[in-house]
Amino acid sequence: TITALNAASTVAFGTGSATGVFTRILCSSAATATTSGTTEETVATCTIPANSMSADAKGIRVTAFFTTAATANSKTLKLQYGATVLQSVTKTTSGGLVKLEAVVLRTGATSQKGFSRQFWSSGGGVTWVDDTQAFTTPAETLSGSVDLTIKLTTATASAGASLLSYFVEFIN
């Protein structure tokens, strides 16, 4: 019986002998969010509370899943941590799927390291391509809260891209 979980708690994985540190989901949604215009739109925001990344190597991991409309118009999908764009990709893929992942780790009270990847599929998810990786060095002041935002931009006013779901985890 587990009576409490905290940053020092370990959990067992399955029935084997592997254990690990507890990971907490900060934000998540499975509600579809679509674009409605041709300007950049924030379709999801997760506020990382002040002092959550209180020691070096603590951080967050974000995973987001998108779909693109069956048009050749350009669609831009973006993950942003504070003022830093972790991953931005523009696709003209018709009827495709996209997965963006990013990890941000604290290296100091006002410095972080970010690594992100982008995967896409134009075949309904049958074949995925690991397309773009990026390394960033955000400089957010962690004694204050920081917003992780997911943004979409399309070339036409009709919905050309949709955020299907996302989750943000705290890495302890």
Side-chain angles (χ1 to χ4, degrees):
T1 302
I2 298 174
T3 57
L5 290 175
N6 59 44
S9 298
T10 58
V11 293
F13 300 108
T15 58
S17 60
T19 61
V21 177
F22 177 71
T23 301
R24 187 180 100 190
I25 299 290
L26 294 174
C27 304
S28 64
S29 178
T32 300
T34 59
T35 56
S36 60
T38 58
T39 59
E40 182 175 89
E41 298 176 48
T42 299
V43 294
T45 300
C46 179
T47 300
I48 314 305
N51 300 312
S52 293
M53 295 163 61
S54 58
D56 290 357
K58 288 189 176 191
I60 60 165
R61 177 185 304 116
V62 59
T63 305
F65 301 93
F66 305 85
T67 187
T68 61
T71 70
N73 297 330
S74 65
K75 304 116 181 142
T76 302
L77 318 168
K78 187 183 293 187
L79 296 179
Q80 187 165 331
Y81 173 77
T84 302
V85 174
L86 299 171
Q87 182 70 253
S88 179
V89 59
T90 300
K91 290 285 182 197
T92 56
T93 305
S94 177
L97 301 170
V98 179
K99 175 185 176 185
L100 299 182
E101 297 178 335
V103 172
V104 177
L105 295 175
R106 174 191 153 128
T107 57
T110 59
S111 61
Q112 302 87 48
K113 290 181 181 177
F115 177 78
S116 60
R117 303 169 63 170
Q118 175 247 132
F119 303 87
W120 67 274
S121 172
S122 60
V126 176
T127 303
W128 286 85
V129 177
D130 184 356
D131 196 24
T132 305
Q133 297 82 36
F135 178 76
T136 56
T137 54
E140 300 298 324
T141 301
L142 300 176
S143 59
S145 63
V146 180
D147 283 344
L148 181 287
T149 54
I150 301 173
K151 301 178 178 187
L152 300 175
T153 309
T154 56
T156 64
S158 61
S162 297
L163 172 64
L164 297 177
S165 61
Y166 75 96
F167 58 93
V168 180
E169 316 170 68
F170 185 66
I171 300 170
N172 222 355

